[in-house]
């Protein structure tokens, strides 16, 4: 750091400097500033700043390939010269698997109670839980809050390994009150467990965040093994038939906060989800993100939500929801609600607050060529209702009927239709979802509006684009730099035929700039890259 830069630094108030520090990676601040002056050391070592020590620095090579470790020279200096000075002030540590032993095994942290393990492989973590004596002792005696982030892997994690990790953590951590285990930050793996095989339990755990394979797993978690659990946040891969041996009747009087997310359609909303929710008699906050299939019933609306759920929860003060009700084509003889009817049903503002709704009716023009995930052509109609402002990071099943809005929280969008998505519609999408990072487009119809002069559309944070099964026009829409500006796009999943067509066998200059930035490319079939391939994709 130059003398001029030091002078500029000295001129800033301490409050401004601390704001700047919080915007930077903590490891950069520690490595660059500690030791320059006594005043800076005092500022950096402020207990309010240093108590939460983040020893990671995420670098994104591609959407599926992220590095969290820091430079070895930075790690060496921090561990040898800085951590011994501040270890007594640290209450929380974030660490990745390659530096964990350097950070945790050498220095004592008497005030440490919260630990976040980032990007750990299941094998490494299981070995540490089994054989690392210092790590085990720390978990056993001090840690009350633990977060475990499972590394993204080419294959699914094994149920057995994840099960052993979970049971080891619960049995080892005698002070543990808050546990989050799974995979985060929009990576792909859903963790699976077998809760029925072992009767593990905890008498002090109050908060659990976890990804589950089935609804059975959720019921097992609530069978009494965590009798003090007050907050449960679950993402369930599939909500299907449940085991008759699991009790789904006993009241859950301790549970105060419950969040349930499951993206695939389920037939069992009325049969298994409602009975579970009715057990939560003292619930204060409920979050639901579901896609429901119904036969011989109307859409789920505000009146039914109150009668089925909220009337059984007198303590409820916050209810946030994103619900799709898909009506089976065989559903006949029922007078379905209109959008006005649905909106009118949410009259209990003390429970719902502002609510948005949308109804789509599918007819014979909805061809079977549509992707059944984005547009369920086997359904008669669909009703989408959600709380405002939109709380969720994902938005699924978007079609041309979308009228716009502001969805600042949404980072992942799935859109599909049997009618083409035109350029102007993508303009609406970019304005409505300003934080978008992942986009799945499922549409086989070619675009009709192919004007040469079209306004440039901005997707400033888009990292991952999925075009598998989509018409080649949507590759042109996003890869030609005069149509879309995608400065952060790193990963593309596309049909090989579309890739060859839109790049003209990797010679098209109109797509060269965007393609030159890709660090990950996945296609529906393997191919032998021609000589010019790596010139076109220099970072692959």
């Amino acid at each position: 750091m130059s003398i001029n830069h030091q002078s500029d630094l000295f001129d800033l108030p301490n409050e401004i400097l601390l704001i700047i520090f919080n915007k930077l990676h903590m490891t950069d601040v520690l490595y660059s500033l500690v030791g320059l002056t006594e005043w800076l050391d005092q500022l950096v070592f402020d207990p309010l700043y240093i108590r939460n020590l983040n020893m990671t620095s995420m670098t994104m090579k591609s959407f599926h390939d992220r590095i969290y470790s820091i430079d070895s020279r930075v790690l060496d200096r921090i561990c040898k010269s800085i951590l011994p000075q501040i270890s007594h002030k640290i209450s929380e540590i974030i660490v990745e698997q390659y530096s964990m032993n350097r950070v945790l095994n050498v220095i004592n942290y008497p005030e440490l109670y919260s630990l976040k393990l980032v990007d750990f492989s299941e094998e490494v973590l299981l070995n540490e839980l089994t054989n690392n004596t210092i790590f085990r002792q720390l978990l056993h005696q001090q840690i009350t809050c633990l977060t475990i982030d499972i590394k993204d892997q080419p294959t699914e994690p094994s149920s057995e390994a994840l099960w052993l990790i979970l049971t080891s953590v619960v049995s080892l951590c005698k002070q543990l009150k808050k546990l989050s285990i799974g995979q985060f930050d929009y990576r792909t793996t859903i963790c699976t467990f077998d809760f029925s095989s072992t009767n593990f339990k905890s008498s002090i755990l109050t908060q659990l965040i976890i990804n589950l394979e089935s609804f059975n797993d959720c019921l097992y978690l609530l069978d009494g093994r965590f009798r003090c659990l007050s907050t449960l946040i679950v993402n369930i891969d599939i909500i299907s038939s449940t085991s008759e041996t699991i009790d789904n009747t006993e009241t859950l009087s301790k549970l105060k906060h419950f969040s349930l997310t499951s993206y695939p359609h389920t037939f069992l909303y009325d049969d298994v989800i409602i009975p579970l929710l009715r057990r939560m008699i003292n619930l204060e906050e409920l979050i639901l993100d579901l896609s429901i299939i119904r036969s011989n019933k109307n859409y789920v609306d505000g009146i039914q939500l109150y009668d089925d759920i909220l009337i059984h929860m007198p303590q409820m003060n916050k209810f946030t929801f994103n619900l799709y009700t898909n009506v089976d084509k065989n559903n006949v003889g029922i007078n379905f609600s209109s959008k006005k009817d649905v909106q009118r049903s949410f009259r209990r503002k003390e429970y719902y607050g502002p609510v948005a709704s949308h109804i789509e009716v599918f007819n014979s023009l909805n061809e079977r060529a549509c992707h059944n995930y984005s547009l369920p052509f086997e359904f008669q109609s669909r009703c989408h209702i959600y709380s405002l402002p939109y709380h969720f990071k994902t938005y699924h099943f978007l079609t041309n009927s979308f009228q716009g809005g502001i969805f600042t929280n949404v980072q992942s969008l799935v859109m599909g239709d049997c009618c083409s998505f035109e350029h102007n519609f993508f303009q609406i999408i970019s304005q409505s979802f300003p934080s978008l990072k992942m986009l799945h487009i499922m549409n086989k119809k070619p675009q009709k509006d192919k004007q040469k002069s079209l306004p440039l559309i901005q997707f400033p944070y888009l990292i991952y684009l999925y075009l598998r099964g989509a018409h080649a026009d949507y590759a042109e829409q996003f890869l030609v730099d005069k149509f879309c500006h995608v400065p952060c796009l790193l990963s593309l999943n596309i049909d090989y035929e579309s890739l060859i067509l839109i790049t003209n066998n990797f010679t098209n200059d109109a797509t060269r700039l965007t393609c030159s930035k890709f660090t990950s490319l996945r296609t529906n079939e393997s191919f032998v890259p021609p000589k010019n391939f790596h010139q076109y994709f220099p970072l692959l």
Side-chain angles (χ1 to χ4, degrees):
M1 181 176 287
S2 69
I3 295 177
N4 289 337
H5 287 164
Q6 288 190 40
S7 300
D8 294 340
L9 203 62
F10 290 145
D11 292 337
L12 295 174
N14 289 358
E15 295 80 7
I16 300 298
L17 282 173
L18 286 173
I19 292 174
I20 294 174
F21 292 170
N22 283 313
K23 299 292 184 181
L24 302 173
H25 289 300
M26 179 172 281
T27 53
D28 291 338
V29 173
L30 293 175
Y31 181 76
S32 302
L33 298 182
V34 171
L36 288 179
T37 69
E38 183 178 343
W39 164 70
L40 271 178
D41 285 357
Q42 185 178 4
L43 188 61
V44 173
F45 292 164
D46 183 289
L48 292 179
Y49 174 72
I50 207 65
R51 65 182 180 182
N52 299 328
L53 177 66
N54 186 351
M55 291 295 292
T56 67
S57 180
M58 195 270 285
T59 301
M60 184 178 292
K61 184 178 179 181
S62 72
F63 181 79
H64 299 285
D65 187 3
R66 308 177 187 205
I67 300 172
Y68 291 83
S69 55
I70 60 178
D71 182 84
S72 58
R73 292 172 301 173
V74 174
L75 177 64
D76 187 63
R77 179 168 186 263
I78 292 176
C79 290
K80 287 183 177 179
S81 306
I82 299 175
L83 288 185
Q85 302 180 59
I86 61 175
S87 61
H88 62 287
K89 299 180 180 180
I90 296 173
S91 58
E92 176 182 344
I93 292 179
I94 304 174
V95 66
E96 48 83 39
Q97 69 175 25
Y98 297 107
S99 60
M100 187 191 81
N101 289 333
R102 293 285 310 277
V103 175
L104 296 180
N105 283 14
V106 180
I107 302 168
N108 183 40
Y109 302 90
E111 301 300 320
L112 182 65
Y113 72 90
S114 179
L115 184 61
K116 184 173 183 179
L117 307 175
V118 175
D119 204 38
F120 273 68
S121 72
E122 56 190 42
E123 296 84 2
V124 168
L125 182 56
L126 190 57
N127 180 64
E128 297 289 346
L129 289 168
T130 305
N131 301 314
N132 188 329
T133 303
I134 296 176
F135 180 55
R136 285 172 56 87
Q137 185 177 10
L138 178 64
L139 292 177
H140 180 74
Q141 297 179 353
Q142 290 184 225
I143 300 302
T144 62
C145 303
L146 178 63
T147 298
I148 299 173
D149 172 36
I150 304 298
K151 180 188 287 289
D152 201 8
Q153 300 176 130
T155 58
E156 292 289 322
S158 67
S159 299
E160 181 179 1
L162 290 167
W163 168 244
L164 290 173
I165 289 171
L166 180 62
T167 54
S168 297
V169 166
V170 173
S171 61
L172 182 62
C173 302
K174 296 303 180 183
Q175 312 301 321
L176 192 62
K177 295 184 178 180
K178 297 181 180 181
L179 173 61
S180 177
I181 179 170
Q183 191 176 67
F184 311 107
D185 203 16
Y186 291 101
R187 292 180 292 170
T188 55
T189 304
I190 295 293
C191 300
T192 60
F193 303 95
D194 181 9
F195 292 101
S196 62
S197 62
T198 306
N199 189 28
F200 77 102
K201 59 185 177 180
S202 171
S203 60
I204 63 171
L205 192 70
T206 61
Q207 177 177 303
L208 179 60
I209 303 173
I210 192 168
N211 297 333
L212 302 174
E213 182 181 36
S214 71
F215 201 76
N216 276 342
D217 295 331
C218 182
L219 295 180
Y220 278 125
L221 285 177
L222 295 170
D223 66 0
R225 68 185 69 214
F226 299 124
R227 57 186 179 86
C228 289
L229 196 65
S230 61
T231 297
L232 177 60
I233 300 174
V234 295
N235 174 24
I236 300 179
D237 192 26
I238 298 175
I239 299 180
S240 56
S241 59
T242 58
S243 172
E244 296 180 358
T245 63
I246 309 175
D247 182 13
N248 193 18
T249 59
E250 185 176 346
T251 59
L252 302 167
S253 58
K254 294 291 183 67
L255 203 61
K256 304 293 183 181
H257 307 274
F258 181 63
S259 173
L260 173 60
T261 298
S262 185
Y263 297 131
H265 307 310
T266 178
F267 286 92
L268 300 179
Y269 172 78
D270 297 285
D271 295 333
V272 301
I273 297 176
I274 294 300
L276 174 62
L277 296 176
R278 286 178 175 175
R279 296 167 59 192
M280 304 174 186
I281 57 175
N282 292 321
L283 208 64
E284 297 174 2
E285 180 179 10
L286 174 61
I287 300 174
L288 296 177
D289 189 2
L290 301 169
S291 180
I292 303 158
I293 300 176
R294 309 197 97 187
S295 297
N296 303 318
K297 289 187 178 181
N298 205 332
Y299 310 122
V300 175
D301 62 17
I303 295 175
Q304 185 175 359
L305 285 172
Y306 178 78
D307 291 341
D308 286 343
I309 302 174
L310 301 181
I311 196 173
H312 303 279
M313 304 172 178
Q315 309 301 320
M316 176 68 66
N317 56 47
K318 187 176 182 181
F319 179 32
T320 306
F321 55 91
N322 179 43
L323 299 176
Y324 292 90
T325 310
N326 306 282
V327 176
D328 194 290
K329 274 191 174 180
N330 296 321
N331 194 343
V332 295
I334 294 180
N335 293 322
F336 292 104
S337 304
S338 64
K339 178 179 178 179
K340 185 179 294 186
D341 295 331
V342 172
Q343 286 290 147
R344 191 182 298 119
S345 71
F346 290 91
R347 61 180 180 272
R348 294 180 177 271
K349 299 301 180 183
E350 68 274 20
Y351 289 106
Y352 301 123
V355 173
S357 66
H358 177 65
I359 292 177
E360 294 179 88
V361 177
F362 308 124
N363 52 49
S364 58
L365 296 178
N366 301 131
E367 305 171 15
R368 294 192 64 84
C370 296
H371 194 287
N372 63 357
Y373 180 65
S374 57
L375 182 64
F377 51 79
E378 69 271 24
F379 300 141
Q380 181 182 112
S381 59
R382 176 171 63 208
C383 177
H384 183 198
I385 55 173
Y386 50 90
S387 307
L388 292 175
Y390 193 82
H391 168 83
F392 304 91
K393 291 185 178 181
T394 60
Y395 192 112
H396 288 179
F397 319 121
L398 185 143
T399 68
N400 275 294
S401 62
F402 178 72
Q403 298 297 310
I406 301 299
F407 299 83
T408 55
N409 290 325
V410 173
Q411 297 181 18
S412 176
L413 173 65
V414 178
M415 53 190 295
D417 207 330
C418 293
C419 301
S420 61
F421 293 130
E422 300 299 332
H423 184 89
N424 291 338
F425 187 67
F426 285 109
Q427 183 77 59
I428 296 174
I429 297 301
S430 68
Q431 295 169 354
S432 299
F433 303 97
S435 305
L436 198 62
K437 293 183 179 180
M438 297 175 59
L439 177 59
H440 291 220
I441 299 175
M442 300 171 184
N443 194 317
K444 295 180 179 295
K445 291 294 185 181
Q447 291 180 312
K448 298 176 181 178
D449 186 1
K450 304 287 288 184
Q451 302 176 36
K452 292 185 177 181
S453 178
L454 292 169
L456 182 68
I457 300 175
Q458 305 277 349
F459 286 93
Y461 304 109
L462 190 66
I463 302 170
Y464 178 81
L465 180 62
Y466 184 101
L467 298 176
R468 189 81 66 86
H471 193 275
D473 281 355
Y474 304 106
E476 182 180 16
Q477 173 75 59
F478 279 84
L479 302 187
V480 174
D481 54 16
K482 71 176 182 179
F483 296 147
C484 277
H485 181 54
V486 284
C488 294
L489 187 60
L490 299 176
S491 300
L492 175 66
N493 198 326
I494 189 172
D495 291 334
Y496 176 68
E497 295 84 356
S498 295
L499 180 66
I500 291 297
L501 178 64
I502 196 62
T503 63
N504 193 21
N505 284 310
F506 315 116
T507 62
N508 185 1
D509 289 336
T511 56
R512 185 181 298 274
L513 178 62
T514 301
C515 291
S516 68
K517 301 175 183 178
F518 289 154
T519 57
S520 173
L521 176 66
R522 298 185 179 187
T523 61
N524 61 329
E525 59 182 88
S526 59
F527 63 95
V528 177
K531 292 183 179 179
N532 61 340
F533 177 83
H534 290 292
Q535 295 175 347
Y536 207 81
F537 297 98
L539 300 182
L540 293 181

